Every structure is written in C-alpha cells, then in structure tokens.
Amino acid sequence: MIKNYLAVVILSSSVALFAQNQDIDPFAINNGEIPTKSEYSGSLFKFNYNYPKEYKKPENTPWSKVLNNKPLTKENAYDYIMALKKYVEPSMKTFILDQNTWNNSSQEGWYSMLWAGEDVSLTGWEGRESIYGTYTGQIQPASVYKDYGLTVPVRNYAAIYYDETAAYTLYKVFRNCNKSKNECIPLIQNNEAQFEEGAIIIKAASASATPEEWPLLEGAAKWQVYRKPFDLNGTINDKPTVVTDTRVTIFDIIVKDSIASPQTGWVFATLVYDKNAKGENAWEKMVPLGAMWGNDPKVNSAKNPKKELKETYINPNAPEYAKVTLGYGLRLSGPFDIAVKYNVKVDDTTVESLRSSSCLSCHGTSSFKLNDYNMITFFYPVKSIHNNIWDMYTPGNIQWNEWFQNRWGNIPQSQKKGVIALDYSTFLEQVLMNYAAKYSQDNKLNNAKFFEEWKKYKKESRKH
C-alpha cells in the first residue's frame, strides 16, 4: 500500500489533454549524449547509487569541535567553514583538480541522485551530462560583473554529491527501487526525506567563461563538460552538443547540524575562487565567502537595512566579485545563485535591481504535494510572472517575510493541506517532479498542462 501511494495519488488528478511520449530511465547515468573519442578521450562520469542501508552518526567531527556544543556564531563561522573544507579535502581536492583521476577512482563515500540522469521534457530538466555528471545552471549577462572584467554571458554547470550520512536519506527515499525491473517509486510521506544529523552535501559549480573572457578565473581548476551552447534565454537546442572548457568558481558545503543551527538544522557554507589567495593550487585558492544557518527573521532588512544579521557570516576578505550577488539584506547567496533580480515590479513601480533571496530562503521552499504538479512554493517572494516581468511582494511586508523565516526541515512554508517538506532539498523536489512525469507518461495520462507552471518558474529562476 505504501509503495504505490505516490503513484495512486498522481493518477487521481489526471486530465487528458494531448499525447506525450518519452521513456525516462530513473537509473540513467547521463542524458544519453556521449562525446566521440575524437571530441573527448578521457574517462566519463560514474553513477554511484549504492546507498548505505543504515545510519551511522558521525562522531567527533572537526566542525563540531569549533562549536564547543553551542550554536554557530559570526565569530567562529570562518573556522567552522575551514573545518568543513579540511574534512572533505581528501576526496574533494581530487574532484576539483583532476577530472580524469576522479572519474577513474572508486569515489568511495560519495553518491549521486536517482531520477536525475535523463532530460525530461515535461519538467524542463536537462539531465546529467556525460563527462563530469554536471547539471545546467543559471545564466547571467556580462553586466552583472561589469566592474569585474566579465565580457560575455556566463552559465554555471554544477555537480552535486552526497556523503554516506546524507546518502542514507536517499536510501530511505529510494529503497524500493529495482533496476532489473526498471522500477523506482520514491517514498516521502513518512518523513523519509528528512536528512540525518551530520549529513553533508557538496555542490561545486564551474563557469562557462574562459580566463580571457573573465580574467579573475585565471588559474582556476578546469572542467570539461558536454553541453549545447546557450544564450540569455537558455539552452540553444538546435545547436550541436560540444565539449566545453569551464572553470570551477564555487564550492558549497551543506551540513545538517542542529547544534550549530537549532532553528533550521542546516548550515550552508560557500567557498569561491580567489586567484589572489595564497595557495599552490586552485583548491587552496577556494576561500570562504560565508556561511548561513538561519534567515534572521527578526531582522527586517527592508525597513532596517543597517541592522546587523546574526545568522549570516560574510568573510570580509572574500573577493569582491563574489559579494555582488549576496541576497536580501546581504544574506548569503553565491555568485551563481541569482539572489538579485533585475527590472522587477514592486508596488507597480519598476525596480532596477532587488536582492530577493538567500541560500536558506530558496532551499526552504522545497516541498512536494502528492496530487499537484505545480511548484508549491516558488523560490522567490513573487506574486506572479507575466511576460517575463516579475511582480514581487513588497520587501519587508508579511508576505515577503514568509520566505525569511526559520523552519525545521519537516515544516513546509506552504499552508496547503497535504504538502510535504523536503528538508531544504531543492534537488529532491526536482527529481520527484521527474518521477511524476515518468508515471504520467507511462500511464498515458496526457497531462502536460499540469507541469507548465513548474517549467515556467524553473526557467525563470535560472536567469535575470
């Protein structure tokens, strides 16, 4: 009964509209686009979903020693970030610096997400590329970094990995999956999606610009990815897929730590590349931009812009380019997260730029409603989007502030009945939609219209 619940509820809300035909493989390694040997002669991405079947709580972690059994503060946040970086360094240094060695290694202790390999037309998901397992990210015009030397539009390509503790949650969600039968029905209705204490998720993002096009990337680690070209409107689908050189710019470390963060359970830490930092290689030149462990709901940054945040730390010595895209009230947001929106409407007035998001406010919207294909809560405090114009809630008002509250990961932002919170995992929200698309198509529900709002918001969130 439990195993089939998600499928049954999806079926109950279907309406026939028009035919859709796509075979989606939940176990797909990549999106099926493989470079020829003449295009790329190195190793390809490996897909590890042999998730741990039991939870082993990490003990005496280096970052917990920084805390002294007390919540994180701005005074010790830098040391906390550096302890996390040192902890993941043995494997992640190779991952960042040496693409071929990483692809050929066992990658022991790091896992990837099911339902994320193939592209999915209904949800707009472009799948995982075959060289380094990255996903297409946000697109920014050169004007965002006009004072920092960028001369072309830039897109990021992100790779996401889960450590053993985090991957145990993926086991809970996908424990009924059977590759031999090509069956993979996710389980989320009994808190399976809640991550365990000590879980670590990393997300590294590389920029499409070359050092010649963006000089601050000089010396950054180079990744090759296999993707189609893009413009400011998104991927150019009628162009051929090509091997593209990218430079690693961001490294996020996300940790479930209820001592450091008793109000949300999570700490989001971001490192950025600084070509002027001390160090012998690009990994050593990844420096803390900052950390965030709460949304500072008591600080109304719109009404009191000078009031100090207590739950975000920004490294004063971080490179200046990385601070351009900080979020609402200068809450943490990385260079590719698009916390700043341009030419939006606020109270019927066009605002040239508006800091509208943050790491936790975005991820805190992650949720899924078993009988609804729409995005339950959009990433940003937006009333509506018409003709690509965003009509925002008034910064600092009651509606706006709903995005900047502190909630535990099992409490959804939405008040709709039946909404399930996904513990700050926007990635899990996406793959659940991919599953819904697969089920809809396999059962010929022909309900593409129900996915349109999701696709619209996802597309809009990837650009300025």
Side-chain angles (χ1 to χ4, degrees):
M1 179 67 179
I2 293 176
K3 177 179 179 182
N4 294 313
Y5 181 68
L6 182 54
V8 169
V9 179
I10 289 174
L11 177 62
S12 69
S13 62
S14 64
V15 174
L17 291 172
F18 52 86
Q20 295 284 321
N21 290 303
Q22 184 185 7
D23 184 25
I24 305 166
D25 179 5
F27 302 94
I29 298 173
N30 53 56
N31 61 8
E33 296 188 328
I34 313 294
T36 64
K37 290 294 184 181
S38 62
E39 293 176 292
Y40 173 78
S41 59
S43 299
L44 298 176
F45 167 77
K46 294 178 181 177
F47 183 21
N48 182 8
Y49 59 90
N50 186 24
Y51 305 134
K53 296 181 180 179
E54 60 180 0
Y55 167 54
K56 296 179 181 178
K57 184 178 179 180
E59 302 289 347
N60 299 316
T61 58
W63 59 91
S64 66
K65 295 176 183 177
V66 174
L67 297 173
N68 249 349
N69 210 34
K70 296 179 180 178
L72 189 58
T73 66
K74 296 173 73 170
E75 287 67 35
N76 60 10
Y78 182 92
D79 291 339
Y80 186 93
I81 300 168
M82 294 305 290
L84 285 169
K85 182 185 180 187
K86 185 176 181 179
Y87 178 78
V88 302
E89 181 173 300
S91 51
M92 290 294 106
K93 182 178 179 180
T94 300
F95 168 61
I96 294 297
L97 296 181
D98 193 338
Q99 191 167 24
N100 211 49
T101 297
W102 176 258
N103 275 346
N104 283 318
S105 72
S106 66
Q107 302 169 21
E108 183 177 357
W110 295 97
Y111 304 82
S112 299
M113 181 75 81
L114 286 162
W115 282 110
E118 292 192 330
D119 59 347
V120 182
S121 58
L122 276 181
T123 65
W125 180 248
E126 296 186 1
R128 191 163 41 216
E129 59 86 26
S130 58
I131 294 180
Y132 221 40
T134 63
Y135 307 96
T136 53
Q138 295 89 333
I139 299 168
Q140 297 175 99
S143 59
V144 173
Y145 299 103
K146 64 180 183 297
D147 295 329
Y148 300 94
L150 182 63
T151 59
V152 295
V154 63
R155 185 173 215 172
N156 78 84
Y157 300 92
I160 302 171
Y161 282 94
Y162 297 78
D163 79 342
E164 289 192 346
T165 305
Y168 172 67
T169 293
L170 302 187
Y171 163 73
K172 290 187 297 180
V173 172
F174 299 116
R175 67 180 181 268
N176 284 337
C177 293
N178 186 324
K179 191 176 190 308
S180 64
K181 296 181 180 179
N182 201 38
E183 292 179 352
C184 193
I185 300 175
L187 303 174
I188 60 169
Q189 61 270 23
N190 291 315
N191 283 326
E192 290 91 346
Q194 299 300 302
F195 287 86
E196 306 292 343
E197 190 75 6
I200 288 180
I201 305 164
I202 69 96
K203 177 184 177 183
S206 62
S208 59
T210 67
E212 292 73 27
E213 295 165 335
W214 201 5
L216 60 79
L217 295 179
E218 180 184 352
K222 184 173 76 172
W223 287 356
Q224 291 187 302
V225 302
Y226 197 53
R227 286 293 184 189
K228 294 180 181 296
F230 69 92
D231 58 24
L232 289 177
N233 293 313
T235 301
I236 305 174
N237 287 309
D238 59 358
K239 296 284 187 179
T241 306
V242 294
V243 176
T244 303
D245 290 346
T246 66
R247 294 332 193 264
V248 180
T249 316
I250 300 176
F251 188 81
D252 290 334
I253 310 173
I254 307 164
V255 58
K256 185 72 172 280
D257 187 344
S258 61
I259 293 176
S261 178
Q263 299 300 314
T264 68
W266 287 98
V267 178
F268 281 64
T270 296
L271 298 103
V272 294
Y273 179 70
D274 182 359
K275 75 172 187 177
N276 296 316
K278 295 180 180 179
E280 296 181 357
N281 55 55
W283 170 258
E284 294 178 2
K285 291 175 180 285
M286 299 298 294
V287 303
L289 169 61
M292 184 180 191
W293 53 97
N295 273 306
D296 275 294
K298 295 181 180 179
V299 179
N300 191 319
S301 297
K303 295 181 179 179
N304 302 291
K306 294 184 179 181
K307 190 170 183 180
E308 182 183 2
L309 300 174
K310 301 293 186 182
E311 296 169 339
T312 282
Y313 160 78
I314 302 300
N315 177 13
N317 297 316
E320 291 302 312
Y321 82 90
K323 300 176 184 177
V324 170
T325 52
L326 291 175
Y328 170 56
L330 302 183
R331 289 162 174 82
L332 181 66
S333 181
F336 296 147
D337 293 338
I338 307 193
V340 183
K341 299 302 295 185
Y342 294 87
N343 298 313
V344 297
K345 288 282 188 181
V346 177
D347 299 329
D348 294 324
T349 299
T350 299
V351 176
E352 184 176 343
S353 67
L354 184 67
R355 298 185 187 273
S356 308
S357 187
S358 71
C359 295
L360 278 168
S361 69
C362 171
H363 282 260
T365 65
S366 305
S367 58
F368 192 77
K369 194 170 186 291
L370 296 172
N371 59 352
D372 195 334
Y373 298 103
N374 296 326
M375 181 170 277
I376 304 304
T377 305
F378 188 38
F379 299 138
Y380 301 82
V382 177
K383 295 179 188 177
S384 60
I385 301 173
H386 295 294
N387 298 322
N388 298 322
I389 302 297
W390 290 35
D391 186 8
M392 312 290 289
Y393 289 109
T394 304
N397 75 2
I398 293 174
Q399 292 91 345
W400 174 280
N401 290 341
E402 279 298 303
W403 272 260
F404 300 95
Q405 300 300 309
N406 288 341
R407 301 179 182 88
W408 201 252
N410 61 354
I411 301 174
Q413 179 174 329
S414 172
Q415 300 300 309
K416 292 180 181 178
K417 185 178 180 180
V419 173
I420 297 172
L422 300 176
D423 204 7
Y424 289 83
S425 179
T426 55
F427 197 6
L428 184 56
E429 182 181 33
Q430 173 66 59
V431 301
L432 289 171
M433 288 298 292
N434 291 345
Y435 163 74
K438 164 74 169 175
Y439 185 87
S440 297
Q441 292 169 152
D442 282 356
N443 290 275
K444 296 180 173 59
L445 303 185
N446 301 327
N447 53 1
K449 184 177 180 179
F450 286 96
F451 291 88
E452 287 306 310
E453 184 177 354
W454 169 271
K455 287 178 67 174
K456 177 182 74 172
Y457 280 141
K458 287 289 289 186
K459 182 178 181 180
E460 286 291 333
S461 70
R462 289 187 172 190
K463 62 182 183 179
H464 285 278

